[in-house]
Amino acid sequence: MAQSGTDSIQLELRQKCSLCSLQELCLPRGLHAHDLEQLDQVVVCEGPHHAGDFLFHTGDRFRALFAVRSGSYKSYTIDRDGREQIWGFHLPGEIMGLDAIHPGQHLCDAVALDTSTACSLPFDQLSAMSSRLPELRSQIFKTLSKNLTEQIIRSNENSAEERLAAFLVDLSTRLQERGFSERDLHLSMPRRDIANYLHLTAETISRSLARFQSEGLISVDHREIHLLDLPKLMKRAHWETPANGSSFD
């Protein structure tokens, strides 16, 4: 009998960290086999979550970090006026929940944007391992640094077009790191979510995309965006090319 989609996902979730294709994205390189075996024993797989399903809620007690395994999630809060404020969009291999370490509870909600799965990494065990594995501790700091980069992308000091260009280049870079095309983007989030994240309006996002398309920087087909001229888009975003080079060249 053929496996259903859910059965296939459940089988995928039973795979170990040591066999996961995303291992080098959410875990530091160079971990020894016995370290990976210890992680295999404590990691708990969550999902599948379908679009709109929650991974965690604001106020939940902090017990674990979460590594996205497939699909994508968004994190957000609700302000006192009942309006959603999006913190970020999270792709496979990315860590969620670091903001909850100090207060001991989650400060935002995390919800799936499409059919998604995540690995729960119990923080007590992870913290104990990081005390003797500097590579693991360094990876956590690297993730915190990435969160600061996201704040720069959203800065109100940048124009609407600069923010949108930076968002597209950042998404392209993250997809390229995961082995996907850096020029063909499928947006799992609607434009209103992108607008919310960048502190813009959906109309401004649509106008900016249309302008980028008229300038030959991108082509747009609903949620499919093809980046035609990455160097110019990076220049529009004031995006610095990494010192070790870039596949955009």
Side-chain angles (χ1 to χ4, degrees), residues 110-125:
V111 65
L113 289 168
D114 46 20
T115 301
S116 307
T117 58
C119 296
S120 173
L121 311 171
F123 188 70
D124 287 345
Q125 290 95 324

Side-chain angles (χ1 to χ4, degrees), residues 3 5 19 26 41 81 97 179 209 239 244:
Q3 287 185 327
L19 301 177
C26 61
Q41 293 173 8
D81 296 319
L209 287 173
W239 193 277
N244 61 350

Side-chain angles (χ1 to χ4, degrees), residues 211-227:
R211 187 172 294 113
F212 288 169
Q213 184 163 242
S214 68
E215 294 177 7
L217 300 180
I218 65 174
S219 63
V220 182
D221 183 11
H222 301 288
R223 292 196 183 187
E224 306 296 329
I225 296 182
H226 181 63
L227 307 185

Side-chain angles (χ1 to χ4, degrees), residues 65 98 123 126 130 136-144:
L65 298 175
L98 286 166
F123 188 70
L126 200 63
S130 68
L136 190 57
R137 186 167 58 249
S138 176
Q139 186 79 347
I140 293 175
F141 289 148
K142 180 180 178 181
T143 303
L144 286 169

Side-chain angles (χ1 to χ4, degrees), residues 98 139-152:
L98 286 166
Q139 186 79 347
I140 293 175
F141 289 148
K142 180 180 178 181
T143 303
L144 286 169
S145 175
K146 175 184 174 298
N147 292 343
L148 292 175
T149 300
E150 291 180 348
Q151 293 179 29
I152 294 172

Side-chain angles (χ1 to χ4, degrees), residues 72-85:
S72 57
Y73 295 83
K74 73 174 179 180
S75 54
Y76 68 94
T77 56
I78 301 296
D79 67 19
R80 64 182 60 187
D81 296 319
R83 292 174 299 198
E84 187 176 288
Q85 300 291 326

Side-chain angles (χ1 to χ4, degrees), residues 74-76 84-90 146-156 163-164 166-168 170-171 174 189-202 205:
K74 73 174 179 180
S75 54
Y76 68 94
E84 187 176 288
Q85 300 291 326
I86 296 176
W87 285 20
F89 304 105
H90 311 277
K146 175 184 174 298
N147 292 343
L148 292 175
T149 300
E150 291 180 348
Q151 293 179 29
I152 294 172
I153 290 173
R154 302 164 61 196
S155 173
N156 289 332
R163 277 179 261 174
L164 180 58
F167 174 80
L168 294 175
D170 176 65
L171 184 58
R174 291 155 66 191
M189 69 293 291
R191 291 185 186 182
R192 66 176 180 275
D193 279 359
I194 299 173
N196 183 304
Y197 175 66
L198 296 176
H199 306 304
L200 300 170
T201 65
I205 293 294

